[in-house]
Amino acid sequence: MKIETRKIEQAKEFAEKLMEKMTLTEKVGQLSQFGNSIYGGVESFFEDHYPEGKVGSYLSIHGAQKLNGVQKRLMEETPNHIPALFAYDVIHGFKTTFPTPLTQSFSWDPWYVAKESAKVAAKEAYAAGIRWTFAPMVDISRDPRWGRIMEGYGEDTYLTSEFSAATVEGFQGDEIGAEDTLLACAKHFVTYGACIGGRDYNSVDMSLQTLLDVYVPPFKAAFDAGCFTCMPAFNDFNGVPCTCNKYLLQDVLRKELGFKGVTISDAGAIAELVPHNVCANIKEAVELAFNAGIDIIMAFDPYNDNIPALVEEGKIDIKDVDAAVERVLVLKFLAGIFEKPFVDEKKQECFFSPEHRRVSREVAKRCPVLLKNDNGILPIDENKKILLVGPIGDDPKAILGGWAGPCEPAQTITVLAGLENRFGKENVTFSMGCSIEGSEEDNENIKKAADAVSEADIVVFAVGEHSGMAGEANSRSDISLPGMQEKLIEAVAEASKQKGVPCVAMIFSGRPLTIFSWRDKVDAILFAGQLGTEGGNAIADIISGDYNPSGRLSCSIPCSEGQIPCYYNSLNTGRPALGKWVFESKYRDLQIEPAYAFGYGLSYTTFEYTDLKLSKDKMSQDPDDYISVSVDVKNTGDRAGEEVVQLYIRDMIGSRARPMKELKGFDKIMLAPGEKKTVEFTLKNSDLAFTDWNMNKVTEPGNFTVMISKNAAESVLFASFKVE
Ligand code: NOJ
């Protein structure tokens, strides 16, 4: 949804008039965001600041009554009665919690899953007085050690771009600033997910071509969808922190992408320019960041304290201050807060409404990825005695995910509760087996779990990470199951084998985990991610067969940490690993392929692909030229199910080596048993473009292969065309 130019013009006119009355102190106040205690804020600090108009927006407080109170004081007691924008990190739900963004991306269904969950999240947050969220995070990540991989949409640019646009549309609705919607913020501009070693906040060093072709497009998708705010990343990019990087903030963001909205620093990021060693003190940091293009400072006073003096000294141009303030006032106007500064407190009755829970369950069941299902062990029949084993089994927090806002764990349907709801209490026994990260009682409890197998028809493991193990500042060097959980699986699977009882493992985590060493010990594996409030019911929907699993991986699952970074769209190299001789690009102790590839996921049914057709075999250099691609897909099993049809291309020869495969289209379709549908894609000339050595975006003439694939490692139909 584009913001109408007329509306922006109207907002600008309004802002200009207001600015005529504002002092420099008030103007800089509009560029300063106050924060709650996490950001070092205290109420008394706010008391000191607001009467002078030094607070433009407010981060991380919520609750209609509270915010209405704060707003009232701002509007009555500040010089120009300017209301504040209340911001909150509404990442995957507000009260009703949805799957984490990474888990949502497993659905490959952005226009339902991401859009609908953002819509509900916006409605609940709006009811609590919030108008601005710092989401979506559209950082590509090829490194599951990085804890924040949970907050993005995986490793692929095309898939992330679709989720980016859908999420913005979900938050912002059909009209920016409308009731029950939030302003979105695309973050973290840009390359945060490529931190060296997967260590949060660490440096990033990459080619400008990779920056522009892989990391920037999801931001463009957000802006094209109407996102009007953007948060630069904490990290340095090729040595210059993103927070003061003129190339990124001016050349790429403003000029190349045409971004007209507001930039906001990440929390504390301007002060961190000092330890980044690009300036000596906070005043210099403000000068660098503001002049590079940061409109609002998140978390406090460096702007209030330094911009007036920097203007006086001629180091910051007052025209630039005015331009930034105008953008912020335009944002506030678009958010509708001059017109409607307060929120109706009754709206909060929508928290956890049956309808919101319904959407949460619908969304959650579309996400888990079935990685393995030997002998069709899943779904589980009605009257089977289930032994649920593992520390996530009855944990109401772990399945919510790492950025669940002011969720209420007590409202969570745990895995145990979900199974009991579906299979009956009498059919489900629970044995925790061990703790998540390890404790002294683990050995004893593992033994108890193994002993309990004798009473069961099937064992279901619920293992993984607790919700605090992924997310910000939670990088891990070892991404296997934490604590004694692998031992738990081994011991219980061994006891099950002896008794002829099959085992299913469900993994709940914020990142891909290495499961290579134990995956052969169980019959089925469901990678569930982190599913939110209705997680337990969604799991029961899947393992009972009420819903046929349809998730596909949005990030490769490596065999071991040694393979990281591990992503499908890599280059062939001059010595690809073909197993022909010794001097090849390989490991001597491990395959180079991941344990499970990008795009991988099974269903309870099977699909067949036939009849790949291209509308023509030549494309011109006209940027509007395109080829239509169609393929027939048939459900060859005896259950209804969804298939994710994936279209990849390969540019066979380029002036720069091109990836072996690049996703350029996908469609998720539902097919009844025996049903056949034709799926159509459009491949545009611009879809084939990349940044060449001279930094030009080009579609080069030559041969291209089209691959219709089940996942990045399994293409089933091929065709080719030529660009002339
Ligand atoms: C730091 C995080 O990096 C950012 O994503 C978030 O929006 C801010 N803190 C505000 O909480």
Side-chain angles (χ1 to χ4, degrees), residues 43 51 125 144 150 166 258 282 339 366 538 549 566 600 634 661 690 709:
E43 294 297 322
M150 57 76 59
I282 186 73
E339 222 176 297
R366 285 170 163 75
C566 181
Y600 179 82
K634 184 175 176 188
K661 252 174 209 184
F690 66 96
S709 311

Side-chain angles (χ1 to χ4, degrees), residues 200-216:
D200 209 0
Y201 317 120
N202 201 8
S203 300
V204 168
D205 206 318
M206 73 166 59
S207 73
L208 296 183
Q209 286 85 355
T210 300
L211 164 79
L212 296 176
D213 292 349
V214 178
Y215 288 82
V216 167

